[in-house]
Amino acid sequence: MGTNKLKESILNDDEFTITWELVPGRGAREANQEMIFKNTERAVEGGKVDAITITDNPGGNPAISAEYLGIKIKEMGIEPLVHFTCKDKNRNQIESFLYSMERENVNNILVMTGDYPVSGYNGRSRPVYDFDPVHIVELMKDLNDGLEYKDAFGRSNSLKPTNFFPGVAASPFKALESEQMAQYYKLKKKVEAGAEYIIPQLGYDARKYHELIKFVEQQGWDIPIIGNVYVLSYGASRAMNANRIPGCVVTDDLVADLAKEKDADDGGHQAGLERAAKMYAFKKGMGFAGVHIAGHGMSYEDLEFIIEKGEELAPNWKDLVHEFDYPMEDGFYYFEKDEETGLNTDKPAARNHKPSKEFVNSSFRVMHHALFEPASPLFKPMQFLCKTVEDSIFEGPFDLMERVIKTVSNECRECGDCALFDLAYLCPMSQCPKNQRNGACGGSRDGWCEVYPKEQKCIYVRVYDRLKPYGEEEQLQEYIVPPVNWDLYRTSSWINFFMGRDHVSERIDIAPPTSGDKSQKA
């Protein structure tokens, strides 16, 4: 195992790390793939780049494997930073890919939820989302510690420790209080799980980038942040403005400015490079540990210009902040504004969003406190009922009753390992297209789901709005919700809860009333 030069750079306070994002496309030997290897050769020769970043089926489209490209780039003499998403792989395949990358010393992984699949051979691909990013980071930490597991014969085994260096994404670019707080609550879980660096999503509001820096400082985390720099063209700005590239925020005002720039002889290319160099400069000045540079069709010469110009501008970075004043309309900020600098003070802003109590949620709360709290008067009778019903002629009708109730209320998918108690009685398996159990993905816009914009609110916006009237919104950061235990699929989640088999009963320490393990029940 050689040294991980990217890890050394990111963790060295005296270095400013530079990564260059290259985007693979569909096919094995097409021009796009050849350009990735050509640009990698230039980066190796130039010596200014610490790592080549490879996206994973970007935009939800099929592409040559990021994991494979990571291996080949490593062989070319530069560190790869492989994007590793949840959308196309179940947990077993995730583990398999990680073993392959460890074997090839490809250890730098950027863990993300991933864009919802939009295409595939002979139609749209089926999304997987068996894990969310928190679960993948937990897996990497366990692998680094030497994963312990039991084989088919019940014997204990442990693997040799791995050397993964996992990073995560986060978005400070959310307009609503509920939307933004869901992002920060999820980031806390990612850091708790073992994330070692953060790369924010893309926006052009300097105050928001500064907010993320301040938020990390407020938490007391010693974790580096790599700033996102993108060479924005007019075409890309329109796509991002329309949320066709989810998670990237470009406002109407910025699109209007790009529209003027595109009338130049070069179509606005030089103006885009200048803007990227200024982003480089203010991020270095703010205290980012480095920058993650990207842009459609960007050449190595473009990259060198951004770096050199950015270094030239960095000493006077505060003079550039006003050029990146593209706030979201009525957008929420975590900190109060510093009017002198245009950035943030240390004082958290008031969270004035006051959602009303919902009748349906209130009804669920009454039922929960009456039946499902261990201290409630009906808990023991319910536990006795479930014990009696299980494996009897009444189990079928009992399952049917539960299924009807939960299908009507939450479109139940019968996973048997219910997360309703974790998320204010909303189901992430049926009401989040990405099945996120630990927080929102980064793709929502103005509170709307990335996959069903203007039709479906992000489930975590809804959860926050259900919890806040009771002062319970902080619950969203308190514990990591495990992935679904598919051993329990198509079994009664009520029986599993009262028998102490599901993740909620384990968390609140419900002792099963009978011995024996029925987790393998079909």
Side-chain angles (χ1 to χ4, degrees), residues 79-154:
E79 287 289 345
L81 173 56
V82 174
H83 291 199
F84 201 78
T85 66
C86 309
K87 62 183 179 291
D88 300 316
K89 313 176 188 77
N90 69 14
R91 66 192 73 182
N92 284 3
Q93 191 177 33
I94 286 170
E95 196 172 329
S96 296
F97 271 110
L98 291 176
Y99 295 149
S100 301
M101 288 190 286
E102 169 66 19
R103 181 82 185 181
E104 298 294 333
N105 295 327
V106 176
N107 303 117
N108 305 308
I109 313 291
L110 180 62
V111 182
M112 294 181 290
T113 307
D115 299 325
Y116 196 82
V118 298
S119 67
Y121 173 70
N122 213 15
R124 184 195 288 262
S125 170
R126 180 179 181 177
V128 181
Y129 297 111
D130 188 27
F131 269 11
D132 66 29
V134 177
H135 302 140
I136 296 181
V137 174
E138 279 191 314
L139 171 60
M140 288 184 184
K141 185 176 186 300
D142 285 343
L143 289 172
N144 284 350
D145 291 339
L147 180 68
E148 297 183 358
Y149 68 98
K150 291 186 181 296
D151 63 20
F153 301 100

Side-chain angles (χ1 to χ4, degrees), residues 29-82:
R29 297 182 178 86
E30 278 62 35
N32 203 57
Q33 285 75 48
E34 299 308 319
M35 185 57 67
I36 284 177
F37 291 114
K38 189 173 294 184
N39 283 335
T40 299
E41 287 178 357
R42 295 294 309 279
V44 172
E45 292 168 2
K48 294 181 181 295
V49 176
D50 295 291
I52 297 293
T53 303
I54 301 296
T55 57
D56 179 15
N57 286 4
N61 300 293
I64 190 171
S65 162
E67 295 83 10
Y68 165 79
L69 289 176
I71 292 170
K72 302 306 288 184
I73 286 168
K74 180 80 174 186
E75 292 174 358
M76 294 174 70
I78 192 169
E79 287 289 345
L81 173 56
V82 174

Side-chain angles (χ1 to χ4, degrees), residues 205-246:
D205 181 355
R207 185 180 166 199
K208 273 292 185 178
Y209 281 113
H210 188 243
E211 174 181 299
L212 181 59
I213 289 273
K214 299 291 288 183
F215 178 81
V216 168
E217 290 176 352
Q218 183 201 58
Q219 306 308 308
W221 298 337
D222 183 18
I223 184 167
I225 309 175
I226 308 297
N228 204 328
V229 172
Y230 190 87
V231 181
L232 189 64
S233 65
Y234 177 65
S237 75
R238 293 184 64 189
M240 293 176 185
N241 179 260
N243 209 32
R244 292 198 298 272
I245 305 177

Side-chain angles (χ1 to χ4, degrees), residues 307-462:
I307 295 169
E308 292 169 4
K309 188 67 174 178
E311 288 292 336
E312 176 189 326
L313 296 171
N316 298 312
W317 68 273
K318 291 181 181 179
D319 297 337
L320 306 173
V321 168
H322 72 281
E323 296 186 39
F324 295 87
D325 185 20
Y326 293 102
M328 294 169 285
E329 186 176 357
D330 299 322
F332 169 80
Y333 289 86
Y334 188 87
F335 295 99
E336 291 188 356
K337 186 175 183 178
D338 184 334
E339 297 295 344
E340 183 178 344
T341 65
L343 299 174
N344 301 283
T345 68
D346 294 329
K347 184 178 179 181
R351 299 181 200 168
N352 294 321
H353 179 50
K354 296 180 179 178
S356 301
K357 293 181 179 179
E358 297 180 18
F359 173 76
V360 172
N361 181 43
S362 298
S363 301
F364 273 121
R365 290 174 66 90
V366 170
M367 184 176 72
H368 176 83
H369 289 295
L371 299 176
F372 295 98
E373 290 288 345
S376 68
L378 296 179
F379 181 86
K380 289 295 183 182
M382 276 295 296
Q383 193 173 44
F384 176 78
L385 175 63
C386 289
K387 174 185 174 183
T388 303
V389 162
E390 189 172 35
D391 293 331
S392 75
I393 61 172
F394 300 107
E395 184 171 4
F398 185 89
D399 284 354
L400 178 61
M401 176 188 67
E402 177 188 346
R403 191 179 312 135
V404 169
I405 292 172
K406 292 172 71 175
T407 298
V408 170
S409 66
N410 265 291
E411 302 174 40
C412 180
R413 300 293 171 84
E414 301 178 70
C415 69
D417 192 10
C418 192
L420 290 179
F421 297 166
D422 302 303
L423 299 179
Y425 316 109
L426 290 170
C427 174
M429 308 308 292
S430 66
Q431 293 166 64
C432 174
K434 297 183 180 182
N435 304 146
Q436 296 299 286
R437 290 165 78 87
N438 282 292
C441 77
S444 66
R445 174 72 65 85
D446 297 325
W448 295 99
C449 173
E450 164 197 327
V451 183
Y452 302 112
K454 304 304 180 184
E455 298 175 28
Q456 180 174 313
K457 284 285 187 180
C458 169
I459 185 176
Y460 281 93
V461 168
R462 297 174 63 200

